[in-house]
Amino acid sequence: MLEQRIVGANSLPSIVPDLSPEELIRQLLPPPEFTAARFENYRPDANFPSQKAAVEISQQFVTGKKGKLFSKTEPTPGVYLDGGFGVGKTHLLASIWHAYSGKKAFGSFLEYTSLVGYIGFQTAVSELSKFALICIDEFELDDPGDTMLMSRLLKELSIKGVRFAATSNTPPNALGQGRFAAEDFKREIQGLGERFEIVSVDGEDYRHRDTHADSRNLTVAELQDWLGIQSDLYTSDFPELLKLLSTLHPTKFRRLIASVGAFALTNVYQLEDQVAALRLVAFVDRMYEQQIPIRTSGTVPLTKVFSETMLQGGYRKKYLRAISRIGALCELY
């Protein structure tokens, strides 16, 4: 049974985002949350010396002044920051981007693979080879097709002299298992990974977020009250949102939410379709980057939208990350 719809807010499904390939390339920038990220304002945890070491190695990567990997005969193609949630890897990646003086791009793994799918591999190589540095946040190793695509892309760009900085997406339950995802990375990036500087970043999630915590559903009246104190209000029925996302290429999700200041999602229910679930993960990633607060109503909280079968499957990392981010967005005001 459908709930009463929210009134007095813009409808997200009414937006028709459109982007040219040039605009897609131009939007490869750090999220607003990391606009001010610098090496100087990263705060290493004294209990985990690897964090301070990661800062130093990241700075060396930018300057190229120290370490055998920076020799003139064998320039390093990249640095790989490997660790769990909330240890500041993206802060360090954004710091590398800000400190680098050449032409540079910053995006998530999904943004790059989506870009290649949208504009074609050769066009992507041509456009991305114009950059001196490519920053890749949350390098994903759980989809063989995407991993092979990114491996091939990095090889092509490396031949053209492009350098890379990347982070991993290791979930909390994998901490303590050797070098996190480092060995997987070196294996999957078929030869090129061996030439990366692999940097483990140990530590606890400084946000102390629980990937298994529940967000709370509101009544329609509570949603109306919450929207009443927000600006740039948008809303959608959950089935309508899923339908909308199915019609859009993921490269357009960022443009879709460009004007959204707060988002109310009604009629949330648990998903059974994994394709729809993965689209929602990509949408949540873009929402999180822009730090857009969310409130929901429905039969399950938004943090319970992924079934237990999904959480135990091959895309577990993606779903755990999305749950963590949903929990954070549902607490924002």
Side-chain angles (χ1 to χ4, degrees), residues 51-319:
Q51 293 189 12
K52 181 179 179 181
V55 175
E56 294 171 353
I57 295 172
S58 296
Q59 290 174 316
Q60 291 167 13
F61 172 76
V62 173
T63 62
K65 290 182 178 179
K66 296 177 71 175
K68 64 180 181 179
L69 290 176
F70 298 98
S71 67
K72 291 182 180 180
T73 57
E74 185 65 23
T76 177
V79 61
Y80 178 80
L81 303 171
D82 186 34
F85 293 158
V87 295
K89 302 186 306 299
T90 302
H91 185 121
L92 289 175
L93 187 66
S95 298
I96 290 172
W97 188 91
H98 286 295
Y100 203 84
S101 60
K103 189 174 182 181
K104 53 210 175 181
F106 187 109
S108 69
F109 180 92
L110 178 60
E111 283 185 282
Y112 287 111
T113 54
S114 296
L115 177 69
V116 173
Y118 190 68
I119 67 177
F121 185 84
Q122 292 304 325
T123 301
V125 170
S126 176
E127 292 299 321
L128 293 175
S129 65
K130 297 174 184 178
F131 293 93
L133 172 70
I134 301 291
C135 292
I136 308 166
D137 198 22
E138 296 171 341
F139 204 105
E140 299 184 352
L141 299 165
D142 50 6
D143 186 309
D146 282 349
T147 303
M148 288 180 62
L149 174 67
M150 186 60 77
S151 177
R152 182 184 169 204
L153 179 65
L154 265 58
K155 283 183 179 179
E156 293 278 348
L157 294 176
S158 179
I159 291 171
K160 297 178 181 296
V162 179
R163 299 174 75 200
F164 313 100
T167 70
S168 70
N169 65 339
T170 307
N173 66 317
L175 297 183
Q177 298 177 11
R179 296 271 297 188
F180 305 116
E183 294 305 317
D184 291 336
F185 175 79
K186 287 191 288 186
R187 180 185 67 249
E188 297 296 341
I189 307 305
Q190 304 169 4
L192 187 61
E194 291 286 351
R195 297 170 56 213
F196 271 62
E197 177 91 6
I198 304 292
V199 184
S200 284
V201 189
D202 303 88
E204 300 174 350
D205 188 338
Y206 78 95
R207 298 159 297 199
H208 300 290
R209 293 209 307 252
D210 183 358
T211 57
H212 299 287
D214 287 346
S215 58
R216 185 175 72 88
N217 275 336
L218 307 181
T219 66
V220 171
E222 287 174 324
L223 279 177
Q224 290 281 187
D225 290 342
W226 179 73
L227 287 171
I229 60 173
Q230 305 298 321
S231 58
D232 300 320
L233 321 175
Y234 280 80
T235 185
S236 176
D237 179 72
F238 191 50
E240 289 179 339
L241 175 65
L242 297 177
K243 182 178 179 181
L244 172 65
L245 298 182
S246 73
T247 66
L248 297 175
H249 195 274
T251 54
K252 297 183 178 181
F253 288 1
R254 185 179 288 185
R255 173 60 66 87
L256 173 68
I257 63 172
S259 300
V260 179
F263 185 51
L265 186 60
T266 60
N267 303 333
V268 176
Y269 55 85
Q270 192 169 79
L271 292 172
E272 297 180 1
D273 180 355
Q274 185 144 259
V275 174
L278 291 172
R279 288 193 194 105
L280 182 63
V281 167
F283 178 74
V284 168
D285 284 344
R286 303 290 83 77
M287 293 284 284
Y288 183 79
E289 288 172 358
Q290 303 303 313
Q291 290 291 284
I292 298 170
I294 298 175
R295 294 295 184 274
T296 64
S297 69
T299 58
V300 298
L302 195 56
T303 47
K304 293 292 187 182
V305 74
F306 307 116
S307 70
E308 192 60 32
T309 300
M310 292 176 183
L311 294 179
Q312 298 305 319
Y315 297 110
R316 173 179 172 81
K317 295 181 197 177
K318 284 184 172 72
Y319 295 135

